[in-house]
Every structure is written in C-alpha cells, then in structure tokens.
Amino acid sequence: MKSKSLPFLDEEPPPIVSVSVLKAKDILCPLPLVLMQPEMKVRDLIQTLKSTPHGDFPVVDPARNNALIGSIPRERLIHLLCHKERFKDSEESDGDYSNPSRNAPIALDDGFFVDGHLMPTLEAVERKIIDGSMDMIISIARQVQLSPYTFNEDGSAERAYELFRTLGLRNLIVTDLEARPIGIITRDDFKILEKIDKVERGCRGQETAVNAPPS
C-alpha cells in the first residue's frame, strides 16, 4: 500500500467496528458529499474542484433522482478542463466543435506543472480559460468510470473494511436503497476509528486501575 500512498489497514478491523455493530452510514467521511453531473458549466466545475480536496467524485443522473452513474477522479476532470474543444454552448449538441478559435486546446507549458507532477494544477488551467468560456458547458459523461464499487448504507462497517483490505480500495461510495450516493468511506475514516478505539481502551484501562481494590 505504500506504493500507492494509501494509509495501511491492519488485517483485522478496529474492535470498535464489530463491538459497536457499526453500519456503513455510521462511518461516512465527515466532509460534505460532492456530486458531479454529466454536464456542468465550466465555472461550476472549477469552483467545485477548488472548494473540496476530494480525489474522486460520484457522478449522478438528475433525470433519475440523482441515481449513481459512476465516478470520475479529480485528475481526469482537470485534464478535461485543458481541452477547450470540449466546451460547448448550452444549446449545442454533443460534438459540435465548429468554432476553432474558441475550441483550440490549451497548450500545456511548464508553468502548468508543479514539482515535476504530471497533473497540471487547477490554478494554472483556470488562468488559461477566458471569461467567455466560463459559462459554457463541459460534458464529463464519456469520461465516467462506470460501475464503481458501491456499498449499501445499512451494510456492516466490518464488511466494508474487508473490501478495502481485499480490493485495495481508496474509497467506497455508499448508497441508499434507490442507488443514490449518500456519502463516501475512505481509508482515513477507518484510521480515525483506530484512534478512537485506542483512546477508549486507554480510558477503560485507567478506570479499571482506579476501581481496583487495594492489595
């Protein structure tokens, strides 16, 4: 797991997970859930990316009561913003790239990259997008990863932990009975449970020591 820069999870879940009979909905990431739509204004997409550190985003279908379509990573969204040929006016159909001056791709010079990273920075991409393009529409539907791993909100947190361990997951989308995302579980959320469990065990140990009869 170190090669992926992912927090390491022990073979067994923290005891608090099974003892407290926690469900998936009990251990959701505390950060607000951020949903993407198949088509968004360029301005809205940029603002969303600037407002949250999330690395992956559920994509939902507004026409089906925000049912889950799939997910898309942050890096892919930033790369999409580099391609102005994908921007369109709201009344245009998909694939109408008739204006070459407006649709010219952004040239990714060295100023787009930080510390040798392959991903251009969002700030650099935003600077290259002219104001007139901010209210245009960008479609992310074709870039969505279909059928991501999901988990029902009432499922056992212990079972969710097993999925992280066996599948090497970064995160897990939690849905309700109508396949609508309600939150995300990350490895960090399980690491927080580990810390809570250690604190509780430490408190119980101190309480036992205080209440122990004198020898």
Side-chain angles (χ1 to χ4, degrees), residues 36-40 56-61 64 67-73 76-77 80 86 138-148 173:
M36 296 292 181
Q37 297 188 8
E39 290 189 341
M40 301 178 66
D56 289 276
F57 300 89
V59 182
V60 298
D61 184 356
R64 294 191 294 125
L68 182 69
I69 297 174
S71 66
I72 188 166
R76 189 169 300 172
L77 289 170
L80 280 174
R86 295 181 181 271
I138 183 169
S139 174
I140 66 174
R142 295 182 182 179
Q143 305 297 320
V144 171
Q145 175 192 346
L146 301 177
S147 302
I173 299 173

Side-chain angles (χ1 to χ4, degrees), residues 36-42 45 59 72 76-77 79-81 83-89 92-95 97 136-144:
M36 296 292 181
Q37 297 188 8
E39 290 189 341
M40 301 178 66
K41 281 189 176 182
V42 172
L45 177 55
V59 182
I72 188 166
R76 189 169 300 172
L77 289 170
H79 277 293
L80 280 174
L81 288 169
H83 292 275
K84 291 188 291 185
E85 75 274 12
R86 295 181 181 271
F87 299 177
K88 61 179 184 178
D89 295 319
E92 291 179 351
S93 61
D94 286 336
Y97 307 135
M136 299 187 74
I137 302 297
I138 183 169
S139 174
I140 66 174
R142 295 182 182 179
Q143 305 297 320
V144 171

Side-chain angles (χ1 to χ4, degrees), residues 9-19 22 27 156-163 165 190-191 193-194 197 201:
L9 297 180
D10 293 330
E11 185 174 348
E12 297 295 330
I16 191 175
V17 172
S18 54
V19 172
L22 295 177
I27 60 171
S156 161
E158 189 171 6
R159 173 56 182 156
Y161 187 94
E162 292 176 4
L163 291 178
R165 281 282 305 170
F190 283 114
K191 299 303 288 185
L193 287 178
E194 286 183 6
D197 185 72
R201 280 187 290 159

Side-chain angles (χ1 to χ4, degrees), residues 46-130:
I46 290 174
Q47 286 303 118
T48 300
L49 291 173
K50 289 170 67 174
S51 67
T52 177
H54 286 315
D56 289 276
F57 300 89
V59 182
V60 298
D61 184 356
R64 294 191 294 125
N65 198 21
N66 281 347
L68 182 69
I69 297 174
S71 66
I72 188 166
R74 183 183 193 89
E75 292 88 347
R76 189 169 300 172
L77 289 170
I78 293 176
H79 277 293
L80 280 174
L81 288 169
C82 294
H83 292 275
K84 291 188 291 185
E85 75 274 12
R86 295 181 181 271
F87 299 177
K88 61 179 184 178
D89 295 319
S90 57
E91 65 271 13
E92 291 179 351
S93 61
D94 286 336
D96 185 357
Y97 307 135
S98 57
N99 189 335
S101 62
R102 183 197 68 208
N103 293 329
I106 293 175
L108 298 181
D109 54 42
D110 292 340
F112 275 76
F113 304 93
V114 176
D115 298 331
H117 291 176
L118 296 178
M119 185 182 76
T121 65
L122 178 61
E123 293 75 14
V125 173
E126 182 182 16
R127 287 196 299 269
K128 291 289 187 176
I129 297 176
I130 60 176

Side-chain angles (χ1 to χ4, degrees), residues 158-177:
E158 189 171 6
R159 173 56 182 156
Y161 187 94
E162 292 176 4
L163 291 178
F164 274 86
R165 281 282 305 170
T166 56
L167 300 176
L169 300 181
R170 289 178 178 269
N171 51 59
L172 186 62
I173 299 173
V174 179
T175 62
D176 62 14
L177 292 177

Side-chain angles (χ1 to χ4, degrees), residues 24 27-35 54-58 164 170-175 181-187 189:
I27 60 171
L28 297 177
C29 175
L31 295 176
L33 177 65
V34 178
L35 302 176
H54 286 315
D56 289 276
F57 300 89
F164 274 86
R170 289 178 178 269
N171 51 59
L172 186 62
I173 299 173
V174 179
T175 62
I182 66 163
I184 291 178
I185 301 174
T186 71
R187 286 175 170 259
D189 299 315

Side-chain angles (χ1 to χ4, degrees), residues 14-20 193-212:
I16 191 175
V17 172
S18 54
V19 172
S20 302
L193 287 178
E194 286 183 6
K195 294 178 181 178
I196 293 175
D197 185 72
K198 289 179 181 178
V199 170
E200 289 191 353
R201 280 187 290 159
C203 291
R204 288 195 297 269
Q206 292 178 359
E207 183 177 337
T208 301
V210 169
N211 295 330

